[in-house]
Amino acid sequence: MPCRRCSRRRTNWDTLAPQVVADFRGSAAAYPDDARFTSIAGELYDRSPEFAKLWDQHDVRKESNGTKAVLHPVLGEMTFDHLVLHPSSRHDLRVTVHLPREGFEARRRLERLLEARPAVTAPPASRGAESAAAGNSLRCS
């Protein structure tokens, strides 16, 4: 299970933790010859009573869509809908998309964070000669 610092960032950890362990068990079942799953599970079992309790329940699931609340150290609590995509040609890969949940502050907070970030300037060696001579900077958008 995550360290206390990480679990505090999840405001719904009591709901999320069983899902994370069941997802891990499902991934481990998909790769029975991969000793890394056994090693990780054994280490977590020994170190975390919470993990051991959840692991002993033998729940298995494949990560699915849902809602996650995250407590960001600067922006505060933000709620996201998440969608998990499993490309058919890559069974070992999953792509998770987090979308700010409607009616919550997440989108506005993320926009403020992006607006407040400083301009990104490329080092002179990576710019064209005329751009470097003029002292132009590149701004990410």
Side-chain angles (χ1 to χ4, degrees):
M1 302 317 299
C3 65
R4 289 179 199 212
R5 180 178 57 93
C6 295
S7 63
R8 282 194 311 256
R9 290 187 183 162
R10 304 280 187 177
T11 60
N12 59 342
W13 182 246
D14 292 340
T15 303
L16 189 60
Q19 295 171 4
V20 170
V21 173
D23 291 342
F24 180 75
R25 185 180 280 283
S27 295
Y31 300 95
D33 297 330
D34 191 336
R36 293 175 292 185
F37 283 105
T38 304
S39 174
I40 292 169
E43 185 174 338
L44 288 170
Y45 196 92
D46 292 342
R47 290 185 179 194
S48 170
E50 181 183 12
F51 178 86
K53 178 182 174 190
L54 294 170
W55 190 254
D56 286 343
Q57 293 175 5
H58 298 281
D59 290 341
V60 178
R61 77 176 209 134
K62 193 170 190 172
E63 186 175 7
S64 59
N65 306 332
T67 302
K68 289 184 182 176
V70 176
L71 186 58
H72 188 276
V74 174
L75 302 176
E77 184 175 332
M78 296 184 293
T79 304
F80 297 90
D81 289 322
H82 67 94
L83 171 67
V84 181
L85 307 170
H86 300 272
S88 61
S89 62
R90 291 285 310 269
H91 299 289
D92 60 328
L93 180 67
R94 65 180 169 199
V95 177
T96 304
V97 178
H98 289 86
L99 303 166
R101 190 163 175 104
E102 289 295 324
F104 290 81
E105 294 293 315
R107 181 179 177 143
R108 229 176 32 231
R109 290 178 185 173
L110 289 170
E111 287 171 348
R112 282 196 312 255
L113 181 67
L114 290 172
E115 289 168 1
R117 73 177 184 209
V120 177
T121 304
S126 68
R127 295 189 228 156
E130 42 310 313
S131 183
N136 294 334
S137 65
L138 302 174
R139 178 161 174 89
C140 293
S141 55

